[in-house]
Amino acid sequence: MPQHAVRPLLRRKRTLAALAGGAALATGAGLLLSHASATGSPAKAAPKVVPPTANAAFDYQIGGAYTPPAGVKALSRDRGAKPAKGLYNVCYVNAFQTQPDALDWWEKNNPDLLLRDADGDLVNDEAWGEALLDTSTAGKRTRLAKIVGGWISGCATSGFQAVEPDNLDSYERSDGLLTRAHSAAFAKLLADRAHTAGLAIGQKNTTDLLEQRKKIGFDFAVAEECGRYDECADYASAYGNKVFVVEYTDRDFAKACSSVGAKVSVVRRDLDVVPAGRPGYAFRTC
């Protein structure tokens, strides 16, 4: 599969307070589960997981929530935003890297969960200014899953129907310290947590892991720039057209519409995914 030299320039913004709250929720959830196990309380049946409908008109609102355009049936918003009433809501979670404004929290509370090179320096995604999380061992993946899993549970509590954990492909930016297997193993933990919470979970990009989608537990896909890289048909075939395609240029949008637009939801957004009414805002569907 092609290596993506240029990644989309969307902006993922979240507050440190929200992250700290999610961590607290994750810790609390872990204590509750431990208590239930210790007391022998019967486990409740997991809520029903409902994947998205194929070719439902989609909007990508991770840069800020706004009133959905007419005809939109599904959308993705940041985990700190409220879901839109009456629509299929996907919760955006930055699961494999830190938010830039949250790095201090990680350094203070879980410094060993940040990926570091042989000199002890953080390994960063330079394009985003985000430090990579260290998914290289089972122990660290379990600890990370408690934190990120708390955010996922928060998505369910807020009323979302699905979650999209971003940066599944962080191993490609790890200077060889992480592998595809590490990401797949961590994604499996997140998928289990999502399903337990009653949420469908979407594979975010990374065609290299399409063959492992069932083993991991992914239910659908969110594919950025698959038109640009001629990958849209791969996602559509793998997920029975339950794919939300996001393109950032007119040319790539046209390619995606021509390739899969008759059966898969394709949206053209601006690079900064700004809310409607802001300079630069763009929104089109096939």
Side-chain angles (χ1 to χ4, degrees), residues 13-240:
K13 299 180 180 178
R14 196 172 292 115
T15 64
L16 183 57
L19 186 149
L25 176 60
T27 302
L31 292 174
L32 288 173
L33 289 172
S34 298
H35 176 71
S37 176
T39 59
S41 300
K44 294 183 179 179
K48 183 179 179 180
V49 173
V50 180
T53 301
N55 209 14
F58 179 68
D59 192 10
Y60 204 49
Q61 297 191 4
I62 69 169
Y66 52 89
T67 301
V72 165
K73 302 297 183 183
L75 55 75
S76 181
R77 286 179 174 173
D78 184 88
R79 67 183 178 87
K82 294 181 180 180
K85 292 183 180 180
L87 302 185
Y88 188 90
N89 291 269
V90 182
C91 187
Y92 173 90
V93 173
N94 193 0
F96 290 76
Q97 299 179 179
T98 70
Q99 292 300 113
D101 61 357
L103 182 58
D104 288 345
W105 183 90
W106 285 97
E107 289 273 29
K108 179 180 179 180
N109 295 280
N110 294 282
D112 64 317
L113 295 182
L114 298 171
L115 187 66
R116 300 177 187 274
D117 62 20
D119 296 323
D121 296 327
L122 293 176
V123 178
N124 292 302
D125 178 346
E126 301 296 340
W128 299 110
E130 298 175 354
L132 273 62
L133 299 177
D134 188 352
T135 60
S136 62
T137 70
K140 289 184 177 182
R141 290 193 293 270
T142 297
R143 290 170 58 200
L144 285 167
K146 289 182 179 179
I147 297 172
V148 180
W151 305 343
I152 291 173
S153 294
C155 293
T157 300
S158 295
F160 288 88
Q161 289 77 46
V163 61
E164 54 152 325
D166 199 13
N167 289 308
L168 178 64
D169 61 348
S170 61
Y171 61 90
E172 294 181 356
R173 300 178 289 282
S174 70
D175 297 330
L177 297 174
L178 300 177
T179 68
R180 188 184 311 173
H182 295 147
S183 283
F186 184 47
K188 177 65 167 64
L189 296 179
L190 300 183
D192 290 346
R193 183 63 176 264
H195 290 157
T196 298
L199 298 177
I201 184 169
Q203 176 177 340
K204 183 68 171 290
N205 303 327
T206 323
T207 53
D208 286 344
L209 286 173
L210 280 177
E211 291 184 357
Q212 297 188 50
R213 66 192 183 281
K214 293 182 178 179
K215 180 179 180 181
I216 292 171
F218 288 131
D219 303 295
F220 65 101
V222 178
E224 293 176 291
E225 298 190 304
C226 65
R228 179 179 183 180
Y229 296 103
D230 297 319
E231 297 170 340
C232 296
D234 295 332
Y235 287 105
S237 176
Y239 284 102

